[in-house]
Amino acid sequence: MTTALRRLRNYIDGEFRDAADGRTTEVVNPATGEPYATAPLSGSEDVDAAMAAAEAAFPAWRDLIPAERQKVLLKIADRFEERAEELIAAESENCGKPIALVRSEEIPPMVDQIRFFAGAARMLEGRSAGEYMDGFTSIIRREPVGVCAQVAPWNYPMMMAVWKFAPALAAGNTVVIKPSDTTPASTVLIADIIGSVLDELGHPRGVFNVVCGDRETGRLMVEHKVPAMASITGSVRAGMQVAESASKDLKRVHLELGGKAPVVVFEDTDIAKAVEDIATAGYFNAGQDCTAATRVLVQESIHDEFVAALAKAASETKTGAVDDEDVLYGPLNNANQLKQVKGFIERLPAHAKIEAGGEQVGEKGYFFAPTVVSGLKQDDEIVQHEVFGPVITVQSFADEKQAVEWANGVEYALASSVWTKDHARAMRMSKVLDFGCVWINTHIPLVAEMPHGGFKKSGYGKDLSAYGFDDYTRIKHVMTSLDG
């Protein structure tokens, strides 16, 4: 007996629609490896319609006083709480994520982040007006940039959608967002939530639009003439393609790309505590996190003890079914990602040693065991490139100078952490580590008030915080003559 697949649809100008040409793609639950829904494979006609809706809605949304936009966002946050179980179910099916962890680790921060940006809507700060030339007064206007084309990733599809639409809407922009082709379900549900709020409060339907599709759909969005800004969270390759496409008409670009976070552990560290926290930060969400603690550098005097403890922690970490409350993470997101992680393990050099894991687990789905690999060198592929899986590598360093050299010796620069009881050393390391975030004696906590974003091939622009809000605004100088 065949179970009918659920039909997901685009959300354009307040209406749920199929792709104009009727094309669809199957959506697979990574915990089972089986399809559960179809989603539109949108083309140029769908993108045109979404952009036209967002463009038409922009003037009215832009001209609202900030307090009115705040009301909308606060009601959206309330509705997220009211419909939390629906969001949890959609995201769990989207990603195979443990239900309990989506409930505890994703819903509360998302609601908090929406409320933060609701407040930011009323904090359009600028430099003081004044006279900088005799007979003239200058003022600064901070304005929304316009229509924003946004592309969200598959690792945190629901939360990354929040990181994109919340600051954009708060600043007075309108949005067309594309979820990943493997994880559209929760974003379509978010469209239903936001659309209902806009309707209730009497605002234009085209303020928020969702277009499902693949890379080609994303390319059509970025290259479209309407958006003033393109924002993407994704791979380095995808970011480069977006930057190149956007350059054709000089769109503003906001990029949050890959990471290869160094975790620098000095010999004075509390090993048991560090291992516990690093294992959690490395394996959470199956290591599918740009900030994951996956590249550990350990001072040579404690290397063997640390590796043994980390391997034990890995062996005690569970992956499994979405309804098992004892698991830390679920499957890898898709078959291609599972193949990529396996490939890194299969290509390990002879000097590498698998201390734990290293294999697929389970009879169905895309589950991979918590893995620890030691004996690695700085130029090894698995050290230099993002695995995006539950794999932690370990290298041994001699001194602080070498730790800094190796930590910075990758093309990514998103996040890092330092583990030491020496305050002066921690401060020295936080200065020289070339990453957008440096955690000290912790790894991976985020708060709405602080920026998230990297350097080098990790992209540019900030998510979260007032800095993330600023990215969705433009600055205008207005000068007036005092002669009347």
Side-chain angles (χ1 to χ4, degrees):
M1 182 175 178
T2 302
T3 302
L5 301 181
R6 181 151 37 99
R7 185 175 68 167
L8 304 174
R9 303 166 84 186
N10 292 331
Y11 186 79
I12 299 173
D13 203 16
E15 297 178 349
F16 284 101
R17 309 180 187 180
D18 296 322
D21 61 8
R23 291 189 303 156
T24 63
T25 183
E26 285 190 338
V27 186
V28 173
N29 183 333
T32 65
E34 299 294 331
Y36 70 90
T38 63
L41 189 55
S42 300
S44 58
E45 188 173 344
D46 308 296
V47 173
D48 285 346
M51 294 300 174
E55 186 176 36
F58 175 65
W61 185 251
R62 173 199 62 200
D63 293 342
L64 282 177
I65 62 171
E68 292 301 314
R69 291 199 297 271
Q70 182 189 45
K71 287 179 183 177
V72 174
L73 285 162
L74 289 175
K75 186 169 280 291
I76 290 170
D78 292 344
R79 200 62 52 82
F80 266 55
E81 287 185 321
E82 293 164 11
R83 299 181 64 176
E85 293 306 312
E86 293 177 69
L87 290 165
I88 292 164
E91 194 72 337
S92 181
E93 197 167 34
N94 245 351
C95 308
K97 294 184 180 186
I99 290 171
L101 287 174
V102 178
R103 182 178 290 116
S104 64
E105 303 300 322
E106 297 199 28
I107 296 295
M110 287 193 314
V111 171
D112 178 68
Q113 289 152 7
I114 296 170
R115 287 176 176 152
F116 171 83
F117 284 113
R122 300 179 70 168
M123 292 294 290
L124 290 166
E125 296 180 342
R127 292 179 178 172
S128 174
E131 290 68 50
Y132 302 94
M133 180 182 292
D134 288 340
F136 297 87
T137 294
S138 288
I139 62 173
I140 295 294
R141 291 183 56 88
R142 189 186 295 270
E143 302 174 339
V145 297
V147 175
C148 297
Q150 302 182 322
V151 179
W154 48 251
N155 59 334
Y156 292 99
M158 190 163 60
M159 188 176 292
M160 295 302 98
V162 168
W163 284 22
K164 293 189 180 303
F165 81 71
L169 296 185
N173 304 284
T174 54
V175 165
V176 178
I177 188 168
K178 188 192 86 67
S180 168
D181 56 337
T182 67
T183 56
S186 57
T187 310
V188 171
L189 179 55
I190 286 171
D192 184 55
I193 292 172
I194 294 177
S196 67
V197 171
L198 291 170
D199 274 350
E200 287 174 22
L201 297 181
H203 298 298
R205 289 183 160 196
V207 166
F208 182 82
N209 306 271
V210 172
V211 176
C212 300
D214 57 10
R215 289 178 182 174
E216 175 63 13
T217 312
R219 184 190 66 78
L220 291 169
M221 286 174 55
V222 172
E223 293 185 357
H224 201 278
K225 67 181 188 306
V226 166
M229 178 176 179
S231 170
I232 178 175
T233 300
S235 68
V236 173
R237 181 182 66 177
M240 289 178 170
Q241 291 171 344
V242 166
E244 182 179 1
S245 295
S247 70
K248 295 174 183 177
D249 56 1
L250 296 179
K251 283 185 180 68
R252 184 181 296 197
V253 178
H254 183 282
L255 303 175
E256 199 275 274
L257 309 177
K260 194 68 181 174
V263 180
V264 184
V265 182
F266 287 95
E267 60 187 358
D268 62 343
T269 300
D270 181 333
I271 293 177
K273 179 66 166 60
V275 164
E276 178 183 359
D277 291 355
I278 291 167
T280 299
Y283 298 134
F284 187 81
N285 203 44
Q288 297 170 127
D289 191 315
C290 297
T291 62
T294 58
R295 183 168 62 104
V296 179
L297 308 173
V298 183
Q299 197 155 19
E300 58 189 16
S301 58
I302 61 167
H303 174 270
D304 293 351
E305 181 182 358
F306 183 93
V307 169
L310 185 59
K312 183 175 184 293
S315 68
E316 294 171 350
T317 299
K318 288 183 62 178
T319 180
V322 299
D323 57 355
D324 186 342
E325 296 193 1
D326 291 330
V327 304
L328 178 65
Y329 67 89
L332 295 167
N333 181 261
N334 53 74
N336 286 338
Q337 189 59 27
L338 175 62
K339 181 180 178 181
Q340 174 171 306
V341 173
K342 282 183 173 180
F344 274 102
I345 299 301
E346 291 165 357
R347 295 189 300 273
L348 283 173
H351 54 262
K353 180 182 179 183
I354 298 176
E355 303 280 354
E359 72 281 327
Q360 184 177 357
V361 296
E363 297 180 358
K364 61 181 182 178
Y366 310 131
F367 296 90
F368 201 83
T371 299
V372 177
V373 182
S374 67
L376 293 163
K377 299 178 181 179
Q378 181 67 11
D379 59 355
D380 287 337
E381 177 196 31
I382 200 169
V383 169
Q384 289 295 318
H385 296 282
E386 189 172 36
V387 178
F388 224 56
V391 179
I392 297 177
T393 64
V394 184
Q395 297 167 257
S396 174
F397 69 83
D399 53 28
E400 191 174 316
K401 179 181 177 182
Q402 188 175 62
V404 172
E405 178 185 347
W406 286 357
N408 289 339
V410 293
E411 294 183 326
Y412 304 91
L414 182 59
S416 59
S417 63
V418 178
W419 300 75
T420 180
K421 296 176 182 177
D422 186 330
H423 176 74
R425 173 190 282 154
M427 291 297 96
R428 289 195 302 272
M429 293 293 290
S430 68
K431 176 182 176 181
V432 297
L433 285 173
D434 191 19
F435 296 83
C437 175
V438 180
W439 286 292
I440 297 173
N441 295 325
T442 188
H443 194 108
I444 227 166
L446 295 169
V447 292
E449 294 85 351
M450 290 293 112
H452 176 84
F455 314 135
K456 296 179 357 187
K457 286 191 175 179
S458 290
Y460 43 82
K462 298 296 182 183
D463 290 310
L464 303 177
S465 78
Y467 301 99
F469 179 72
D470 286 349
D471 282 354
Y472 286 93
T473 67
R474 65 184 190 182
I475 303 301
K476 178 185 288 183
H477 169 220
V478 178
M479 179 180 274
T480 182
S481 169
L482 298 180
D483 290 338

